[in-house]
Amino acid sequence: MFAATQHFKPEYDLAGELLSSRVTIAVQNGDRPIYFTGITATMKRPGFVTLSIPPEEQWSDSLRWLTREQQERFATAEFFTMLQIQITGRFLKLPQRSPPK
């Protein structure tokens, strides 16, 4: 089984519009999570989210802590398709901020 959660750190413009978010993936391995950083979700047009995912080499230290099964799953196109769907869905649900007065 492969359990991964996403953590978001949104960034807003001065009007309170959501611009982007840094995303960290936490993959559960036994009793501890292994973190994968460096993903950015941006929205330059309403409803169109673009993900920037770092090269696998940037995650090599974290990948070595995963089980073989997790590493194999992590390397599939299906995994990244699932990430794209999940991250995009959650990004679009992030709240807007009220502009400062």
Side-chain angles (χ1 to χ4, degrees), residues 36-53:
F36 297 86
T37 61
I39 297 173
T40 304
T42 58
M43 185 168 52
K44 300 209 183 222
R45 292 185 0 207
F48 290 88
V49 178
T50 302
L51 294 183
S52 173
I53 299 174

Side-chain angles (χ1 to χ4, degrees), residues 18-88:
L18 178 63
L19 295 175
S20 65
S21 182
R22 287 183 268 166
V23 182
T24 298
I25 301 168
V27 176
Q28 198 63 34
N29 186 1
D31 61 349
R32 68 177 253 181
I34 308 301
Y35 295 102
F36 297 86
T37 61
I39 297 173
T40 304
T42 58
M43 185 168 52
K44 300 209 183 222
R45 292 185 0 207
F48 290 88
V49 178
T50 302
L51 294 183
S52 173
I53 299 174
E56 188 175 325
E57 294 80 20
Q58 182 175 320
W59 290 341
S60 61
D61 286 343
S62 297
L63 283 168
R64 69 185 175 94
W65 292 104
L66 300 180
T67 65
R68 177 170 295 205
E69 179 183 86
Q70 289 172 320
Q71 290 175 14
E72 289 170 358
R73 174 81 171 114
F74 207 92
T76 65
E78 291 83 11
F79 175 74
F80 285 96
T81 299
M82 181 260 322
L83 273 186
Q84 181 179 16
I85 292 167
Q86 289 184 358
I87 290 172
T88 297

Side-chain angles (χ1 to χ4, degrees), residues 5-22:
T5 57
Q6 301 93 35
H7 304 276
F8 290 76
K9 185 171 183 180
E11 297 176 8
Y12 299 89
D13 67 12
L14 293 176
E17 295 290 319
L18 178 63
L19 295 175
S20 65
S21 182
R22 287 183 268 166

